[in-house]
Amino acid sequence: MAKVSVSIPQGTRDFGSEVIRKRDYIFSTIRNVFELYGFEPLETPAMENLETLMGKYGEEGDKLIFKILNNGLDNPDKEKQVKADLEKLLQGKTVKGITERALKYDLTIPFARYVAMNHHQLVFPFKRYQVQPVWRAERPQKGRYREFYQCDADVVGSHSLLNETELATMYKAVFEKLNIPVEIKINSRKFLTSLSKRCGESVRITDFTIAIDKMEKIGLEKVKEELSQKGLNKEQVSIIEKYLLISGNNQEKIIQIKEVLGNDEECQKGIADIEFVLNHLTPNISIVTPGEAEGLPPATSIVTPSAAEGLQLTLDPSLARGLNYYTGIIFEVKAKGVQMGSIGGGGRYDDLTGLFGVPNIPGVGISFGVDRIYDVMEELNLFPMHVQVGTQVLFFNLGDQESRKAFEWLQQLRQKGIRSELYHEFAKFEKQFKYAEKKKIPWIIIIGDKELKENTCTVKNLAFGGQQTIPAGELINFPF
RNA sequence: GUAGCCAUAGCUCAGCUGGUUAGAGCAUCAGAUUGUGGUUCUGAGGGUCGUGGGUUCGAACCCCAUUGGUUACCCCA
């Protein structure tokens, strides 16, 4: 056999049937929840104009955008211009003459571009969901691919915090259906702007959000080191340290945030936002002072909306998120018991369409990382058996006459919607059994000369090993 | 973009400080077995040891380069 030496680009993957079935299970779970909450589908092109994407994800982000080489660069008439452009490219600039299109990096910016282009005809608040692949030119590693799917749900044109509340509930709904134990973290970017103000105007927000965000991963000391390296003085670092040391339950954290950040307006707004969401989600354990709690009539603690029941959000002041367009509440979802980056994230952005010349359209959205969710579910063995079953029934092929009969009944089962197939040729039992096993087909039907004479068939369950011979007429009603 | 680790049969790997003809399990195929698999037994096929160069009497093993994979950093789903 000749040795083939073909491959696919680094960080991309082919998906076989088994994997696709499992992925589809995740996709449809997410889609169903999106639809249930009144979101409508949208798809945008795989590629965008480069200028649409550049500068939206920070300096690092720009480097990670997959740029597409222009066609026709070898045109002799353009040689001089192309060479000049190439010189600029070598200096680290992006040049239209060389590249003017790029693969999309996430779903949020293309969505903002879409809203900016179509805001006259959209019904606001506009709620859309989007399930598409995105591309990032990073080095692949665990839980990180160069091509991966995001599932986003965003609401634009509304300041209401009810949106945040609903999105949080959607996170819970999806992960509960998928049976993944998660911690859903919440925070407000407003705390971080307030914090940056306290540190003085000289400090750039992006400089320390990234550092603060690593709190859980690398610990306080390393974060402090990184902050010093970024040019913050001791006083500034110590303010941030106080902020990072905030701990306790959500209520206790809110009190400490007030203490650390003071009466700052941003901070107060942030607290109001967080309290709004937390109160809506868990009305029976609403934030009250101990004195008030004593006076509560017993009845008020009974009401709990079922959708939000058991939804626990963890207020995490160190949650920052790298993308710099967030301005309000931010979310991040981590799977419990697995070593894996976040499997979901999102937040509020006040003016994303402003980047495209249409100001004053606020938005908030969440994203699911399907590929990471898949890896988590695989690791925790969470895929139900039934999603892995393709064909339900296999008819054995035991000869010419026998297979004609089988073919007839095969069509009847298909009419009933039972996924079934007939082994493609006469072969010995072992071979046909092994085929069924490998394809994880749970039922087989044997029609041999015995059955042919009696007008019966033998139905066998491969998982349990039991079998029974039934009259032909009953096959159609057999509970596969 | 930076750094570490890895590359031997279709898959997972073993292979001693460099020494005859490179091994195992699983998988595949054939037979025992012309109506019962997952769980029996027997046998067979399958490798220019990622690629290119070097050291050596001799290289899967040591050195250099290169390609691919993987993990971490940066950043993020």
Side-chain angles (χ1 to χ4, degrees):
Chain A
M1 214 203 302
K3 202 151 201 175
V4 286
S5 63
V6 286
S7 64
I8 53 175
Q10 194 181 37
T12 65
R13 294 147 307 153
D14 290 321
F15 300 111
S17 63
E18 211 172 310
V19 179
I20 290 181
R21 288 221 168 80
K22 292 179 185 169
R23 286 168 64 88
D24 279 349
Y25 171 69
I26 300 173
F27 282 133
S28 62
T29 302
I30 294 172
R31 270 207 192 90
N32 287 342
V33 169
F34 285 170
E35 293 272 351
L36 192 65
Y37 278 72
F39 287 74
E40 295 183 88
L42 173 74
E43 289 193 15
T44 64
M47 62 182 120
E48 292 279 345
N49 291 326
L50 185 55
E51 59 189 297
T52 303
L53 305 182
M54 290 297 281
K56 311 299 192 297
Y57 310 105
E59 240 171 88
E60 282 303 309
D62 285 352
K63 291 183 196 162
L64 302 179
I65 295 170
F66 266 110
K67 286 114 193 158
I68 298 167
L69 200 60
N70 287 354
N71 289 73
L73 292 176
D74 56 349
N75 184 340
D77 297 344
K78 291 184 185 167
E79 190 180 333
K80 215 172 173 185
Q81 184 60 48
V82 168
K83 277 186 174 159
D85 286 344
L86 195 61
E87 269 313 307
K88 287 188 204 161
L89 195 71
L90 291 176
Q91 287 160 27
K93 296 170 188 163
T94 54
V95 193
K96 265 202 158 182
I98 304 289
T99 169
E100 51 185 333
R101 285 171 290 267
L103 295 175
K104 65 174 174 248
Y105 180 88
D106 73 352
L107 302 179
T108 310
I109 294 296
F111 171 57
R113 189 265 308 146
Y114 172 84
V115 172
M117 282 175 69
N118 298 283
H119 67 283
H120 291 299
Q121 42 194 324
L122 296 175
V123 178
F124 287 103
F126 179 52
K127 300 164 74 172
R128 84 87 175 78
Y129 73 85
Q130 200 169 342
V131 177
Q132 287 192 276
V134 299
W135 294 267
R136 295 186 188 176
E138 298 175 285
R139 275 296 156 81
Q141 54 180 280
K142 189 180 179 188
R144 167 181 291 175
Y145 305 97
R146 288 185 146 182
E147 179 186 58
F148 62 97
Y149 267 78
Q150 288 192 328
C151 305
D152 280 28
D154 289 78
V155 186
V156 292
S158 165
H159 285 287
S160 170
L161 289 160
L162 273 176
N163 297 311
E164 274 87 339
T165 311
E166 292 228 286
L167 292 168
T169 313
M170 288 161 70
Y171 263 143
K172 181 198 172 227
V174 167
F175 289 117
E176 202 165 76
K177 279 190 182 168
L178 294 176
N179 215 4
I180 304 175
V182 292
E183 178 177 38
I184 306 174
K185 294 192 218 173
I186 185 172
N187 194 27
S188 175
R189 267 286 171 97
K190 294 200 166 90
F191 298 147
L192 299 170
T193 40
S194 168
L195 185 63
S196 95
K197 270 188 200 160
R198 272 191 87 79
C199 290
E201 295 297 330
S202 62
V203 179
R204 281 201 311 162
I205 261 212
T206 46
D207 269 350
F208 71 67
T209 48
I210 289 171
I212 287 172
D213 202 37
K214 291 180 193 161
M215 177 64 183
E216 193 181 329
K217 196 172 175 186
I218 63 177
L220 182 62
E221 288 310 311
K222 289 263 171 79
V223 171
K224 281 163 70 183
E225 253 173 56
E226 198 164 322
L227 288 168
S228 310
Q229 274 173 10
K230 293 231 163 111
L232 277 76
N233 62 39
K234 271 190 180 170
E235 212 176 315
Q236 291 168 323
V237 172
S238 101
I239 293 171
I240 293 171
E241 179 173 12
K242 268 188 210 150
Y243 177 80
L244 288 176
L245 284 172
I246 288 170
S247 64
N249 62 31
N250 289 349
Q251 279 170 261
E252 291 163 353
K253 282 179 192 160
I254 287 173
I255 292 166
Q256 294 171 63
I257 289 172
K258 277 182 194 161
E259 284 169 10
V260 175
L261 297 178
N263 250 355
D264 175 82
E265 194 190 339
E266 286 286 328
C267 168
Q268 283 179 355
K269 273 195 217 158
I271 288 174
D273 287 359
I274 297 278
E275 284 186 335
F276 181 97
V277 174
L278 292 180
N279 282 335
H280 265 258
L281 291 173
T282 50
N284 57 338
I285 37 170
S286 60
I287 298 167
V288 286
T289 61
E292 282 169 334
E294 283 164 24
L296 279 176
T300 52
S301 60
I302 295 170
V303 192
T304 305
S306 61
E309 194 171 3
L311 169 52
Q312 300 263 325
L313 296 180
T314 309
L315 175 58
D316 179 358
S318 74
L319 177 64
R321 310 224 8 102
L323 298 170
N324 49 22
Y325 47 67
Y326 292 121
T327 52
I329 280 186
I330 45 182
F331 296 109
E332 194 161 289
V333 184
K334 288 212 68 176
K336 289 182 186 168
V338 196
Q339 191 68 37
M340 178 67 73
S342 60
I343 55 177
R348 176 168 286 276
Y349 38 88
D350 277 339
D351 194 22
L352 215 46
T353 56
L355 298 165
F356 303 111
V358 182
N360 303 323
I361 301 182
V364 57
I366 55 171
S367 178
F368 292 82
V370 171
D371 302 79
R372 284 187 178 175
I373 291 172
Y374 180 95
D375 291 346
V376 167
M377 291 186 69
E378 196 67 86
E379 196 171 328
L380 297 179
N381 216 345
L382 294 178
F383 286 107
M385 264 315 286
H386 70 85
V387 314
Q388 294 168 56
V389 173
T391 303
Q392 295 163 277
V393 176
L394 174 72
F395 283 86
F396 271 24
N397 186 330
L398 299 174
D400 191 39
Q401 286 301 313
E402 291 88 341
S403 72
R404 273 167 196 277
K405 198 60 171 174
F407 188 77
E408 197 183 311
W409 292 349
L410 168 71
Q411 296 300 353
Q412 285 179 23
L413 285 191
R414 285 174 175 164
Q415 288 266 318
K416 247 197 95 187
I418 292 165
R419 299 185 297 276
S420 36
E421 54 181 305
L422 166 64
Y423 195 79
H424 64 105
E425 65 187 3
F426 173 65
K428 57 186 197 178
F429 267 62
E430 187 175 332
K431 208 160 182 180
Q432 304 198 41
F433 267 119
K434 288 208 163 141
Y435 177 79
E437 252 167 60
K438 277 181 199 156
K439 285 191 73 174
K440 295 189 174 148
I441 300 172
W443 297 94
I444 57 142
I445 295 179
I446 296 168
I447 301 170
D449 50 4
K450 225 189 286 173
E451 287 85 356
L452 214 50
K453 270 179 218 149
E454 300 165 0
N455 198 30
T456 59
C457 62
T458 300
V459 181
K460 176 164 181 162
N461 183 295
L462 290 195
F464 303 111
Q467 70 178 50
Q468 55 181 303
T469 301
I470 58 173
E474 284 176 27
L475 179 64
I476 198 75
N477 293 318
F478 193 88
F480 291 113

